[in-house]
Amino acid sequence: MTRILLLGGTTEASALARALADSGADAVFSYAGRTKAPMAQPLPTRVGGFGGVPGLVRYLRAAGITHLIDATHPFAAGMSRNAIAAAGETGVAYCALERPAWVAGPGDDWHHVADMAGAVAALPDDPARVFLAIGKQHVADFAAKPQHHYLLRLVDAPDGPLPLPDAQAVIARGPFTTDADRALMADHRITHIVAKNGGGAGARAKLDAARDLGLPVILIDQPALPPRRTFDSAKDVMRWLGHATDRGV
Ligand code: 3Y8
Ligand code: NAP
């Protein structure tokens, strides 16, 4: 009997959830609970951490999960490492729905850095106007360069004052569009963009807008993950599951 746990939080995870629901699969969708009102999914949904690897192992066993699908964001490395470990410990079938990193094309002015510290270091010393499109969790890292004006984009309104002396937040949940991102950056006279190389379509707009405006992008590389079975489309994951259900796993 196939029972699936889908670790979500991305556009691709939502597409897979739709395919699983349409196929009548017995599946549970999982959010971390990072945002106040995550988008509803067409599957029974659980919200919140599991409690590290031990908590996830307990959940997999208690819920009778036979297949664990990691469709989290490439920067959700902690969750992905835990999922690999828990699948190994329990023998639950595992795959990741992975989206390839973005690759620069003609006209792109991208500066690749290894991590958040590298992104801070890559900003100029002279005051600039920076579109910090990396969410909320790492904004405080940029307090090391307070001379810049920062435009933040957050999913939820900040609870308290922003940890930067000269910052303004727009509240929006993607997916975003190139036209809207181009207008946003022009209106705010942005000179630099900082972004994670998240891949996928849902966050790509700002990069295309940056190229149109001739702006440099500081792009943070995806964290490295242990080797794992990956697919790059919901279709391939469904085929993998289909074989499993054909064999009556
Ligand atoms: C809680 C679920 C869907 C999923 C949509 C994708 C696209 C829009 C682009 C910018 C970049 C950023 C951020 C971003 C994008 C999609 C996808 C994606 C980037 C939601 C969601 C959850 C989160 C968590 C949130 C993080 C933050 C990162 C904002 C829902 C909307 C910046 C990543 O306030 C916080 O603490 C936010 C935290 C992790 C990164 C950070 O460090 O702050 N995503 N994003 C998920 C959960 O609880 O499990 O609320 O509906 C999902 C989506 N965000 O179903 O269509 O697939 O990438 N998410 C980045 O790429 O840098 C925004 O502004 O241009
Ligand atoms: P993370 O740093 O890798 O994970 C930290 C902890 O959050 C995990 O150990 C786990 O807690 C919990 N967690 C993460 N994802 C979970 C999920 N889908 N279901 C249940 N628990 C989860 O994760 P993150 O980068 O904060 O990402 C959190 C969520 O936002 C994920 O769903 C991810 O797909 C989504 N997201 C993240 C980004 C990003 O830039 N990081 C971008 C877009 C979407 P326990 O150890 O207690 O189990």
Side-chain angles (χ1 to χ4, degrees):
M1 183 57 197
T2 298
R3 186 154 160 68
I4 297 151
L5 173 63
L6 172 54
L7 303 177
T10 59
T11 305
E12 292 73 13
S14 297
L16 179 55
R18 169 51 56 206
L20 288 168
D22 292 350
S23 73
D26 179 0
V28 178
F29 190 96
S30 179
Y31 277 124
R34 278 259 181 279
T35 53
K36 288 192 171 65
M39 267 181 37
Q41 294 292 340
L43 293 172
T45 299
R46 64 168 299 288
V47 180
F50 295 96
V53 175
L56 180 52
V57 165
R58 274 195 301 276
Y59 179 88
L60 293 173
R61 288 180 171 144
I65 300 295
T66 59
H67 290 72
L68 172 54
I69 301 170
D70 179 359
T72 60
H73 190 273
F75 280 71
M79 183 71 259
S80 292
R81 289 191 189 107
N82 288 1
I84 294 165
E89 195 172 321
T90 57
V92 165
Y94 167 95
C95 79
L97 176 50
E98 203 174 57
R99 55 210 208 173
W102 293 312
V103 175
D108 287 326
D109 177 12
W110 295 359
H111 305 263
H112 296 279
V113 293
D115 50 27
M116 215 49 81
V120 177
L123 284 174
D125 290 332
D126 292 343
R129 296 180 62 80
V130 180
F131 180 21
L132 204 45
I134 55 165
K136 176 177 82 181
Q137 297 178 86
H138 297 280
V139 166
D141 298 17
F142 292 83
K145 292 215 172 163
Q147 68 270 36
H148 303 308
H149 171 75
Y150 291 99
L151 171 67
L152 311 181
R153 179 151 62 186
L154 305 175
V155 176
D156 296 315
D159 303 329
L162 295 169
L164 298 170
D166 180 5
Q168 183 183 349
V170 292
I171 307 304
R173 167 188 277 113
F176 304 102
T177 66
T178 304
D179 288 347
D181 277 3
R182 190 188 309 113
L184 177 72
M185 293 196 269
D187 293 350
H188 288 264
R189 294 178 287 113
I190 295 299
T191 59
H192 295 73
I193 291 95
V194 176
K196 294 175 189 168
N197 193 334
R204 164 96 225 193
K206 58 186 174 285
L207 305 184
D208 296 333
R211 184 183 55 241
D212 296 349
L213 295 168
L215 296 178
V217 177
I218 296 168
L219 206 56
I220 303 160
D221 292 341
Q222 298 181 1
L225 287 172
R228 58 180 183 163
R229 175 188 288 117
T230 63
F231 295 110
D232 59 12
S233 71
K235 187 165 57 64
D236 288 347
V237 174
M238 294 303 286
R239 191 176 299 126
W240 176 69
L241 286 170
H243 289 321
T245 43
D246 291 349
R247 286 203 310 271
V249 166

